[in-house]
Structures are given as structure tokens and as C-alpha cells.
Amino acid sequence: KSGKTVPLNGYLEPVKYISLLSFRTWVESYVGLSVEDKSPPHDQWPVPAPNVNSQFWSALVSSVGQENCSTKDYDRVFHSHGHTCQEVFALRYGGLHRVVDAVVWPDTEENCETIVKLASEHGVVIIPFGGGTSVSGALECPSNENRMVLSVDMKRMNRINWVDASNMTAEIEAGIVGQDLQRRLAAVGLTMGHEPDSVEFSTLGGWVSTRASGMKKNVYGNIEDIIVNATMVTPKGTIERSCEVPRMSAGPDVSQIVLGSEGSFGIITKAVVRVKEMPPVCEYLGVLFPNFDSGVATMRQIAYQRIAPSSVRLVDNEQFQFGMALKPKAEHGPLWQMVEKAKKWYVLNIKGFQPNQMVEKAKKWYVLNIKGFQPNQMV
């Protein structure tokens, strides 16, 4: 109504149609940014021509099929970056100095073995690719790399090979995306419980290769606690443990070598993981503290008494204010709206409360005066 509505364009449907009534005011007053300042992206920037090893490429296409291989500029750029601020900035304004020369999408573990074997024979560099959410720079190509660089996108290897309900384990291919894994396990009443912030994009193979941590680690553990066995294809052969047991007291654990390897040793193709029954109840609650120190003290007591829920997170005042600014406009049905109008009429006409003061002031008075909270310290 004020003429200051700013649309946020994106491809995620849940984001496109949400009204964030307080966000612009917060950005302009607290952060000091103006949405009127425009910085248009560079729609076109030169993509270096692919450096193709012709003998390798011919053998690869013959082995895995032309439809599973690409040297198109879009595919190459898409597979040449992660999600760090530096990489996103380079994509938007300056371009990447070096991109992969080709992309291949294997469908089976045998495909991966063929790809690694051919790359080893012809001196081609391999960068495994999962969901592309890396924040460690692992997907960037060194600008001084003169060999052909091949991105191996694992997204077609997304099968759940088996689920053992008696041992509560499952063998799952590395290319499966987190949210798809959650949904498919939930269909049989199970969960892996691993939920990193990137769960809607990242993959099981990416979790293993980065030794990922999840928001529900208090109950389910980090990825190293969930993994029973992992399979990795290397130039020297395929590495995997011969038996599916929680641990072995004989020699080094191969899974510990695979965990956190960031694609340096080979391509992770599948993993055996622990699963648990879906919880009967899932509740989300928030608690307000007067300052950060009291929040930390509470967290310490939770840890000391070992009563942590699956996920607990303490945010500081800036994050708290940011979250409030992102609160969307409430959308409810006609019945709810009618009840709210009745409440409003009663409060204004019968009780004589002043609009635009009662709720905010009542809450503010209670929190500030009775509880003694400080506005700029609440978390």
C-alpha cells in the first residue's frame, strides 16, 4: 500500500509468495542497506573453452554413453563452484577463472570404476559432485591446472538398495539428496536423523566426504556416528569393509579414512547407515532469555544433566531480531479471521483498550518491567 513492496525473485515456490512485512524496515534501519541500490548481475561472462583429452573423452563416451556426458558451458559452470560467499560473488559479478572441462553422470558403481580407471590411465583430474553446497572450496578448480578436469555428478545414484529392519541399518547410494532420503525412509516408518542445514540440496556422499554434522546430533549423532560402512572407488581399487558390523577391533577402520576425505582419495558410491524408528511426536518450542549469558548458562545445565532434545540452538540478539524480521504475514481461514474480529471488537469496545498499543505494550511491559529483560540483550 505504501508503494514500497519489493518482490524477491527465486525458483523456490515456498519463498516466492511469502509476505515479509517487517523485513525491509529491518534491513534499512538496522543493517543500513537500501533496497533502492541496485547491483545487476552479469548475465554473460566468458567461459573458457573446455580442455578435452580426446582419447579419454572418446573412451568415456563409449563406456557410459553420450547422454551421460556433457561439455556444455552451463553444465560446466554449474559444477565448478560451491556455496561460499566468494564463489557466489564470482558467479554474479566476475566469473570463475577456471571451470571443469566436462561433466559425467554415472548410474552405477561399475560406471564409477570405469571413470576412475580411464582418468587414471589418461591423467585426467576428477572432482566428485554431490549437491554442490560445499563451503570448503572443494569444488573450485585450481587456476593453474593444465590437465583436463572432469566433474562426476552422483545424483543418478540415488537408490536405497536395502533396509534391514531387524538390524536397523540400510544401504543407500551416495547421490541421494537429503530431503528425498528423509521422505523415502519415513514411508517405512524410519529415519536416519541426519539433518544438516543443507538437507534439501546436499547428498549422503557429500555428508560422508565432509564429515558433516546435523542439527539433531544430540540424539542421532554426527555422520561418523551413523555410518557403519562406506564404499569408495579409487585408482587402486574399490575400498569397502567386508562385514556390516558396528566396529572391528582389528586394524584401522577404512570408514575413518573415507570420512572427511573431500573427494581426495576417490568417489564415494554408497554407505551402510544406522536408522531408527520415526519419533511418535515432533514438537518445536522457543524460550526467551533476558540476555545471552543466561542462555549459555541454561545450555550448560542441559548438557550437564544430559537432557538435551534432538536439537537445541541458542541464537544471539542479532539473530533473534533477524528472525523476527523474517516472520511472514499470517494467513488463516475465514473462521479464524471471524474469531479474531470478534476478539478485537470486544477488547476495543467493551474493554476500552487502545489499538496498536495493547498487545505490544502489554507484552513489552511484562517482559521489560516484571521480568527485567533488556531490549538490546534479549536472545
Side-chain angles (χ1 to χ4, degrees):
K1 293 181 180 179
S2 64
K4 292 186 177 181
T5 300
V6 178
L8 300 177
N9 297 318
Y11 62 89
L12 297 177
E13 291 299 319
V15 173
K16 289 179 69 174
Y17 305 107
I18 293 177
S19 297
L20 305 175
L21 301 182
S22 305
F23 185 58
R24 175 173 179 168
T25 301
W26 184 83
V27 167
E28 292 183 333
S29 62
Y30 187 82
V31 183
L33 299 176
S34 173
V35 296
E36 301 298 335
D37 296 336
K38 302 293 178 64
S39 182
H42 293 181
D43 292 331
Q44 299 290 333
W45 44 266
V47 179
N51 173 28
V52 177
N53 182 315
S54 57
Q55 291 183 333
F56 166 79
W57 189 245
S58 177
L60 180 66
V61 169
S62 298
S63 299
V64 302
Q66 179 64 63
E67 68 279 7
N68 298 317
C69 305
S70 174
T71 55
K72 295 178 181 178
D73 286 351
Y74 177 86
D75 292 331
R76 294 170 54 218
V77 172
F78 183 86
H79 290 82
S80 298
H81 66 87
H83 281 191
T84 65
C85 291
Q86 178 181 345
E87 289 166 302
V88 173
F89 186 89
L91 278 173
R92 184 173 175 86
Y93 298 114
L96 303 172
H97 297 296
R98 178 74 160 91
V99 300
V100 299
D101 299 301
V103 183
V104 62
W105 290 268
D107 187 59
T108 64
E109 190 172 291
E110 289 72 22
N111 281 167
C112 293
E113 291 173 340
T114 298
I115 292 166
V116 171
K117 180 175 182 294
L118 290 173
S120 181
E121 291 175 352
H122 294 277
V124 171
V125 178
I126 287 178
I127 300 179
F129 187 95
T133 58
S134 170
V135 290
S136 64
L139 297 177
E140 291 185 89
C141 300
S143 57
N144 60 349
E145 180 54 70
N146 296 319
R147 294 171 296 176
M148 179 180 180
V149 180
L150 177 72
S151 176
V152 181
D153 189 326
M154 299 296 291
K155 72 178 181 182
R156 295 181 184 174
M157 293 184 61
N158 58 2
R159 308 169 188 89
I160 297 179
N161 293 333
W162 50 259
V163 175
D164 188 335
S166 59
N167 285 335
M168 298 300 282
T169 55
E171 184 181 85
I172 305 169
E173 290 185 332
I176 192 167
V177 175
Q179 62 180 356
D180 295 334
L181 174 56
Q182 288 180 330
R183 184 177 64 252
R184 289 162 67 178
L185 286 178
V188 293
L190 299 173
T191 180
M192 196 172 119
H194 188 67
E195 196 171 303
D197 289 333
S198 60
V199 68
E200 60 182 319
F201 304 114
S202 57
T203 63
L204 173 60
W207 301 342
V208 177
S209 68
T210 58
R211 196 182 284 269
S213 180
M215 291 183 286
K216 297 180 179 179
K217 69 179 184 63
N218 296 336
V219 170
Y220 300 99
N222 292 312
I223 194 65
E224 63 266 25
D225 305 307
I226 299 171
I227 289 291
V228 176
N229 189 11
T231 301
M232 183 168 65
V233 176
T234 78
K236 298 296 184 181
T238 300
I239 299 174
E240 61 183 339
R241 200 162 60 185
S242 58
C243 58
E244 310 297 350
V245 293
R247 69 186 305 273
M248 295 175 63
S249 298
D253 188 345
V254 174
S255 296
Q256 294 300 317
I257 299 174
V258 176
L259 282 160
S261 58
E262 295 270 9
S264 298
F265 301 144
I267 301 174
I268 298 168
T269 56
K270 63 177 183 282
V272 176
V273 300
R274 295 177 174 88
V275 294
K276 294 186 178 183
E277 292 183 351
M278 288 283 292
V281 178
C282 186
E283 293 185 355
Y284 297 90
L285 302 173
V287 179
L288 190 65
F289 296 98
N291 52 57
F292 195 74
D293 289 343
S294 61
V296 172
T298 301
M299 295 284 277
R300 287 178 62 87
Q301 284 299 311
I302 289 173
Y304 181 74
Q305 298 182 37
R306 299 184 180 275
I307 55 174
S310 62
S311 178
V312 57
R313 176 176 291 183
L314 179 66
V315 299
D316 60 22
N317 181 253
E318 287 185 344
Q319 289 176 297
F320 175 78
Q321 293 188 38
F322 181 51
M324 293 298 100
L326 287 173
K327 189 175 181 180
K329 176 183 177 182
E331 297 182 3
H332 299 279
L335 178 61
W336 184 90
Q337 294 178 16
M338 184 175 64
V339 171
E340 289 300 304
K341 286 181 180 180
K343 290 179 181 178
K344 183 177 180 180
W345 182 88
Y346 174 78
V347 170
L348 295 180
N349 296 277
I350 303 300
K351 301 298 290 183
F353 284 20
Q354 297 299 311
N356 303 323
Q357 294 182 8
M358 49 186 183
V359 173
E360 181 179 359
K361 191 170 183 179
K363 289 182 178 178
K364 192 173 185 179
W365 183 87
Y366 173 75
V367 170
L368 298 185
N369 296 282
I370 300 300
K371 299 298 289 184
F373 286 18
Q374 298 299 313
N376 294 327
Q377 295 183 359
M378 292 189 296
V379 296

